[in-house]
mmCIF file of all heavy atoms in Angstrom:
data_model
loop_
_atom_site.group_PDB
_atom_site.id
_atom_site.type_symbol
_atom_site.label_atom_id
_atom_site.label_comp_id
_atom_site.label_asym_id
_atom_site.label_seq_id
_atom_site.Cartn_x
_atom_site.Cartn_y
_atom_site.Cartn_z
ATOM 1 N N GLY B 4 21.155 -23.660 -4.197
ATOM 2 C CA GLY B 4 20.353 -24.038 -3.039
ATOM 3 C C GLY B 4 18.899 -23.665 -3.196
ATOM 4 O O GLY B 4 18.013 -24.330 -2.692
ATOM 5 N N GLY B 9 12.995 -24.294 -3.889
ATOM 6 C CA GLY B 9 11.786 -24.282 -4.690
ATOM 7 C C GLY B 9 11.041 -25.599 -4.558
ATOM 8 O O GLY B 9 9.829 -25.620 -4.469
ATOM 9 N N ASP B 19 7.967 -29.204 10.199
ATOM 10 C CA ASP B 19 7.624 -29.204 11.608
ATOM 11 C C ASP B 19 8.431 -28.124 12.335
ATOM 12 O O ASP B 19 9.569 -27.868 11.972
ATOM 13 C CB ASP B 19 8.001 -30.580 12.174
ATOM 14 C CG ASP B 19 6.986 -31.024 13.187
ATOM 15 O OD1 ASP B 19 5.823 -30.610 13.031
ATOM 16 O OD2 ASP B 19 7.363 -31.757 14.112
ATOM 17 N N CYS B 73 10.597 -13.968 6.209
ATOM 18 C CA CYS B 73 11.372 -14.036 4.979
ATOM 19 C C CYS B 73 10.479 -14.503 3.840
ATOM 20 O O CYS B 73 9.338 -14.903 4.051
ATOM 21 C CB CYS B 73 12.576 -14.959 5.141
ATOM 22 S SG CYS B 73 12.113 -16.669 5.401
ATOM 23 N N ARG B 172 -16.762 29.072 -18.385
ATOM 24 C CA ARG B 172 -15.785 29.721 -17.508
ATOM 25 C C ARG B 172 -14.464 28.981 -17.530
ATOM 26 O O ARG B 172 -13.398 29.574 -17.460
ATOM 27 C CB ARG B 172 -16.335 29.795 -16.093
ATOM 28 C CG ARG B 172 -17.276 30.968 -15.924
ATOM 29 C CD ARG B 172 -17.842 30.998 -14.544
ATOM 30 N NE ARG B 172 -16.797 31.007 -13.535
ATOM 31 C CZ ARG B 172 -17.003 30.640 -12.290
ATOM 32 N NH1 ARG B 172 -18.184 30.252 -11.905
ATOM 33 N NH2 ARG B 172 -16.013 30.672 -11.439
ATOM 34 N N SER B 207 6.964 56.497 -20.364
ATOM 35 C CA SER B 207 8.242 57.216 -20.348
ATOM 36 C C SER B 207 8.258 58.362 -21.354
ATOM 37 O O SER B 207 8.840 59.414 -21.077
ATOM 38 C CB SER B 207 9.410 56.267 -20.588
ATOM 39 O OG SER B 207 8.992 55.115 -21.230
ATOM 40 N N GLN B 288 -4.855 73.039 -8.247
ATOM 41 C CA GLN B 288 -3.638 73.836 -8.201
ATOM 42 C C GLN B 288 -2.895 73.672 -6.890
ATOM 43 O O GLN B 288 -1.721 74.019 -6.793
ATOM 44 C CB GLN B 288 -3.951 75.322 -8.462
ATOM 45 C CG GLN B 288 -4.798 75.995 -7.429
ATOM 46 C CD GLN B 288 -6.283 75.889 -7.774
ATOM 47 O OE1 GLN B 288 -6.752 74.836 -8.196
ATOM 48 N NE2 GLN B 288 -7.027 76.968 -7.616
ATOM 49 N N ARG B 303 2.289 53.774 -11.677
ATOM 50 C CA ARG B 303 1.958 53.118 -12.945
ATOM 51 C C ARG B 303 3.117 52.256 -13.450
ATOM 52 O O ARG B 303 2.914 51.328 -14.210
ATOM 53 C CB ARG B 303 1.678 54.164 -14.014
ATOM 54 C CG ARG B 303 0.355 54.829 -13.889
ATOM 55 C CD ARG B 303 0.132 55.651 -15.127
ATOM 56 N NE ARG B 303 -0.834 56.701 -14.872
ATOM 57 C CZ ARG B 303 -1.050 57.695 -15.724
ATOM 58 N NH1 ARG B 303 -0.337 57.782 -16.829
ATOM 59 N NH2 ARG B 303 -1.946 58.597 -15.448
ATOM 60 N N LEU B 317 11.527 35.628 -14.554
ATOM 61 C CA LEU B 317 11.168 36.669 -13.588
ATOM 62 C C LEU B 317 10.509 36.058 -12.361
ATOM 63 O O LEU B 317 10.767 36.477 -11.236
ATOM 64 C CB LEU B 317 10.218 37.662 -14.235
ATOM 65 C CG LEU B 317 10.872 38.844 -14.928
ATOM 66 C CD1 LEU B 317 9.828 39.707 -15.592
ATOM 67 C CD2 LEU B 317 11.655 39.666 -13.928
ATOM 68 N N THR B 323 13.281 33.308 -5.807
ATOM 69 C CA THR B 323 14.621 33.216 -5.223
ATOM 70 C C THR B 323 14.808 34.271 -4.153
ATOM 71 O O THR B 323 15.322 33.997 -3.068
ATOM 72 C CB THR B 323 15.686 33.422 -6.303
ATOM 73 O OG1 THR B 323 15.409 32.555 -7.371
ATOM 74 C CG2 THR B 323 17.051 33.161 -5.755
ATOM 75 N N GLU B 330 19.985 35.312 3.099
ATOM 76 C CA GLU B 330 21.264 35.708 2.523
ATOM 77 C C GLU B 330 21.229 37.183 2.129
ATOM 78 O O GLU B 330 22.233 37.887 2.265
ATOM 79 C CB GLU B 330 21.583 34.853 1.306
ATOM 80 C CG GLU B 330 22.027 33.452 1.637
ATOM 81 C CD GLU B 330 20.875 32.535 1.944
ATOM 82 O OE1 GLU B 330 19.730 32.846 1.525
ATOM 83 O OE2 GLU B 330 21.079 31.512 2.621
ATOM 84 N N ASP B 358 37.092 72.918 4.216
ATOM 85 C CA ASP B 358 36.007 72.667 3.263
ATOM 86 C C ASP B 358 35.856 71.185 2.927
ATOM 87 O O ASP B 358 35.710 70.775 1.792
ATOM 88 C CB ASP B 358 36.176 73.503 1.981
ATOM 89 C CG ASP B 358 37.399 73.090 1.153
ATOM 90 O OD1 ASP B 358 38.482 72.938 1.741
ATOM 91 O OD2 ASP B 358 37.245 72.887 -0.051
ATOM 92 N N LEU B 403 34.924 42.468 -1.424
ATOM 93 C CA LEU B 403 34.823 41.199 -0.704
ATOM 94 C C LEU B 403 33.434 40.971 -0.153
ATOM 95 O O LEU B 403 32.827 39.922 -0.347
ATOM 96 C CB LEU B 403 35.816 41.211 0.467
ATOM 97 C CG LEU B 403 37.092 40.418 0.307
ATOM 98 C CD1 LEU B 403 37.929 40.570 1.562
ATOM 99 C CD2 LEU B 403 36.756 38.967 0.077
ATOM 100 N N GLU B 418 19.292 26.855 -8.739
ATOM 101 C CA GLU B 418 18.611 25.636 -8.330
ATOM 102 C C GLU B 418 17.129 25.728 -8.631
ATOM 103 O O GLU B 418 16.530 24.844 -9.225
ATOM 104 C CB GLU B 418 18.802 25.443 -6.827
ATOM 105 C CG GLU B 418 19.181 24.043 -6.448
ATOM 106 C CD GLU B 418 19.670 24.026 -5.024
ATOM 107 O OE1 GLU B 418 18.820 24.189 -4.140
ATOM 108 O OE2 GLU B 418 20.885 23.905 -4.798
ATOM 109 N N GLY B 443 -4.092 4.116 -24.933
ATOM 110 C CA GLY B 443 -3.709 2.733 -24.700
ATOM 111 C C GLY B 443 -2.480 2.320 -25.456
ATOM 112 O O GLY B 443 -2.319 1.166 -25.814
ATOM 113 N N TRP B 488 9.182 -1.521 15.162
ATOM 114 C CA TRP B 488 9.844 -2.749 14.748
ATOM 115 C C TRP B 488 8.888 -3.923 14.696
ATOM 116 O O TRP B 488 9.167 -4.938 14.114
ATOM 117 C CB TRP B 488 11.000 -3.028 15.688
ATOM 118 C CG TRP B 488 12.087 -2.064 15.487
ATOM 119 C CD1 TRP B 488 12.512 -1.568 14.291
ATOM 120 C CD2 TRP B 488 12.887 -1.437 16.457
ATOM 121 N NE1 TRP B 488 13.523 -0.692 14.474
ATOM 122 C CE2 TRP B 488 13.784 -0.587 15.797
ATOM 123 C CE3 TRP B 488 12.943 -1.521 17.853
ATOM 124 C CZ2 TRP B 488 14.713 0.182 16.474
ATOM 125 C CZ3 TRP B 488 13.876 -0.764 18.515
ATOM 126 C CH2 TRP B 488 14.757 0.082 17.826
ATOM 127 N N SER B 496 4.994 0.711 9.599
ATOM 128 C CA SER B 496 5.838 1.200 8.514
ATOM 129 C C SER B 496 5.074 1.136 7.217
ATOM 130 O O SER B 496 4.202 0.303 7.012
ATOM 131 C CB SER B 496 7.106 0.378 8.432
ATOM 132 O OG SER B 496 6.795 -0.848 7.824
ATOM 133 N N ARG B 518 -11.876 -24.204 6.205
ATOM 134 C CA ARG B 518 -12.215 -25.337 5.364
ATOM 135 C C ARG B 518 -10.984 -26.041 4.832
ATOM 136 O O ARG B 518 -10.999 -27.225 4.566
ATOM 137 C CB ARG B 518 -13.090 -24.873 4.195
ATOM 138 C CG ARG B 518 -14.555 -24.905 4.551
ATOM 139 C CD ARG B 518 -15.371 -24.882 3.290
ATOM 140 N NE ARG B 518 -15.238 -23.598 2.650
ATOM 141 C CZ ARG B 518 -15.234 -23.460 1.338
ATOM 142 N NH1 ARG B 518 -15.318 -24.510 0.561
ATOM 143 N NH2 ARG B 518 -15.129 -22.266 0.811
ATOM 144 N N ALA B 607 0.499 -2.694 -6.939
ATOM 145 C CA ALA B 607 1.621 -3.359 -6.287
ATOM 146 C C ALA B 607 2.899 -3.155 -7.055
ATOM 147 O O ALA B 607 3.979 -3.105 -6.506
ATOM 148 C CB ALA B 607 1.339 -4.845 -6.176
ATOM 149 N N PRO B 649 -22.074 -23.359 -5.099
ATOM 150 C CA PRO B 649 -21.755 -21.911 -5.091
ATOM 151 C C PRO B 649 -20.462 -21.574 -4.374
ATOM 152 O O PRO B 649 -19.636 -20.881 -4.952
ATOM 153 C CB PRO B 649 -22.969 -21.283 -4.431
ATOM 154 C CG PRO B 649 -24.057 -22.281 -4.582
ATOM 155 C CD PRO B 649 -23.423 -23.616 -4.631
ATOM 156 N N ASN B 655 -13.313 -21.223 -6.249
ATOM 157 C CA ASN B 655 -12.732 -21.558 -7.526
ATOM 158 C C ASN B 655 -12.344 -20.311 -8.301
ATOM 159 O O ASN B 655 -11.223 -20.160 -8.764
ATOM 160 C CB ASN B 655 -13.804 -22.319 -8.280
ATOM 161 C CG ASN B 655 -13.228 -22.973 -9.487
ATOM 162 O OD1 ASN B 655 -12.051 -22.810 -9.737
ATOM 163 N ND2 ASN B 655 -14.032 -23.693 -10.195
ATOM 164 N N GLU B 684 7.106 -7.343 -3.661
ATOM 165 C CA GLU B 684 5.763 -7.025 -3.228
ATOM 166 C C GLU B 684 4.730 -7.684 -4.119
ATOM 167 O O GLU B 684 3.648 -8.000 -3.712
ATOM 168 C CB GLU B 684 5.573 -5.508 -3.266
ATOM 169 C CG GLU B 684 5.173 -4.930 -1.941
ATOM 170 C CD GLU B 684 6.362 -4.762 -1.029
ATOM 171 O OE1 GLU B 684 6.993 -5.745 -0.750
ATOM 172 O OE2 GLU B 684 6.652 -3.667 -0.587
ATOM 173 N N VAL B 703 0.630 -26.414 -7.868
ATOM 174 C CA VAL B 703 0.626 -27.627 -8.660
ATOM 175 C C VAL B 703 1.130 -27.324 -10.051
ATOM 176 O O VAL B 703 1.954 -28.026 -10.603
ATOM 177 C CB VAL B 703 -0.796 -28.196 -8.714
ATOM 178 C CG1 VAL B 703 -0.825 -29.394 -9.639
ATOM 179 C CG2 VAL B 703 -1.215 -28.588 -7.323
ATOM 180 N N GLY B 817 -31.134 -11.740 -15.241
ATOM 181 C CA GLY B 817 -30.385 -10.556 -14.808
ATOM 182 C C GLY B 817 -31.212 -9.317 -15.061
ATOM 183 O O GLY B 817 -31.335 -8.444 -14.196
#
Side-chain angles (χ1 to χ4, degrees):
Chain B
D19 217 29
C73 66
R172 278 178 55 201
S207 22
Q288 65 269 42
R303 284 189 202 169
L317 270 177
T323 309
E330 285 80 21
D358 67 313
L403 257 180
E418 226 166 72
W488 290 321
S496 77
R518 271 198 291 145
N655 192 358
E684 237 80 301
V703 175

